[in-house]
Amino acid sequence: MLRLLDERSFPVDELRLFASARSAGRTISWNGQELPVEDAATASYDGLELALFAAGKPTSLALAPKVAAAETAIAEAAPVSMRINDWEGRWPLNTYRERDAEKLSGLALARLAKAEAMSLDEYRTLLAERARIRAAYGELAGECEACVTLSASGPAPVGLSFTGDASFAVPFSLLGVPAISLPLFWLDGLPLGLQVTGFEHGDATTFAAAAALVALLDDSATARPG
């Protein structure tokens, strides 16, 4: 990670290094400086503008329990989102069906049937669950300015019958937060986005984080084809 920062001439006013207690106390040479390694479990993170974790999943989750809580909460985003969308799409769809049911797709008719089988209490329960998921994710706002994940599980599929796996997009639609897909990676000759997600009313901060990542990662080792 330090080499990447150096290679990309990433703008850094002050760099701090954190690691487990086993590695704390060492010094690491970087850009003409001798930087001390701090104990990540006891150090203060006050004043940091950008934190990059590369400690491996078990250590990172141990150091960031709110991240683990948010990941657990959004794991059920897809079914909650789809059921809310079913209910909220009920009235336009039933109007279209009354006009001419043959012009609706089988998928649209199936979703309408699901919606008409729901009760208002079920819909209210789903809204409460969405609020709980949003609150769990919102806890991260005090820890960081943005989160980073992939935009998709892989490059776009061939053909028009399937637009691809939406598992990386649905959670942030449910959360109602700004999400930016950066075309920084390539896989099998096709672009693969890096998704930067922010927090409610944090659009400008999310764009700033995205710009910083573009400066760091654009023209990376995963070169564009051709």
Side-chain angles (χ1 to χ4, degrees), residues 12 37 40 75 94 134 140 156-157 160 165 167 182 191 197 200:
V12 176
V37 177
N94 62 20
R134 288 181 172 183
L140 295 177
L160 301 177
D165 186 344
S167 57
L182 306 174
T197 65
E200 187 178 18

Side-chain angles (χ1 to χ4, degrees), residues 125-150:
T125 299
L126 289 165
L127 292 183
E129 177 63 7
R130 183 178 69 180
R132 184 192 69 80
I133 293 171
R134 288 181 172 183
Y137 177 79
E139 287 293 316
L140 295 177
E143 306 294 328
C144 60
E145 294 182 342
C147 299
V148 179
T149 183
L150 291 174

Side-chain angles (χ1 to χ4, degrees), residues 2-223:
L2 292 177
R3 184 177 63 194
L4 184 60
L5 291 172
D6 191 38
E7 289 176 353
R8 304 301 173 205
S9 299
F10 191 73
V12 176
D13 291 330
E14 179 186 5
L15 180 66
R16 293 171 61 193
L17 307 179
F18 304 92
S20 64
R22 184 176 58 183
S23 300
R26 298 169 49 202
T27 59
I28 294 178
S29 298
W30 180 77
N31 203 20
Q33 305 175 61
E34 293 295 320
L35 301 176
V37 177
E38 302 177 52
D39 186 342
T42 59
S44 171
Y45 295 88
D46 292 346
L48 295 182
E49 294 184 356
L50 177 65
L52 302 176
F53 288 84
K57 184 175 180 179
T59 302
S60 294
L61 291 181
L63 295 175
K66 291 180 181 179
V67 173
E71 287 184 343
T72 300
I74 66 176
E76 297 302 316
V80 173
S81 181
M82 289 191 67
R83 294 292 282 158
I84 290 174
N85 289 342
D86 287 343
W87 175 271
E88 294 179 349
R90 173 178 179 173
W91 284 271
L93 286 178
N94 62 20
T95 301
Y96 303 151
R97 182 185 58 190
E98 290 173 5
R99 290 181 178 179
D100 191 343
E102 292 184 357
K103 291 184 179 179
L104 287 176
S105 68
L107 178 61
L109 290 171
R111 295 194 71 175
L112 178 56
K114 290 179 181 178
E116 290 179 332
M118 291 175 62
S119 68
L120 180 58
D121 284 342
E122 286 179 88
Y123 175 61
R124 288 171 173 163
T125 299
L126 289 165
L127 292 183
E129 177 63 7
R130 183 178 69 180
R132 184 192 69 80
I133 293 171
R134 288 181 172 183
Y137 177 79
E139 287 293 316
L140 295 177
E143 306 294 328
C144 60
E145 294 182 342
C147 299
V148 179
T149 183
L150 291 174
S151 297
S153 58
V158 176
L160 301 177
S161 61
F162 179 55
T163 58
D165 186 344
S167 57
F168 284 85
V170 170
F172 301 101
S173 176
L174 182 73
L175 290 169
V177 297
I180 304 168
S181 183
L182 306 174
L184 294 175
F185 303 135
W186 291 83
L187 182 63
D188 299 333
L190 292 171
L192 179 62
L194 181 70
Q195 184 172 219
V196 182
T197 65
F199 300 95
E200 187 178 18
H201 306 308
D203 300 61
T205 301
T206 308
F207 273 96
L213 286 168
V214 169
L216 176 64
L217 296 173
D218 199 16
D219 296 324
S220 64
T222 309

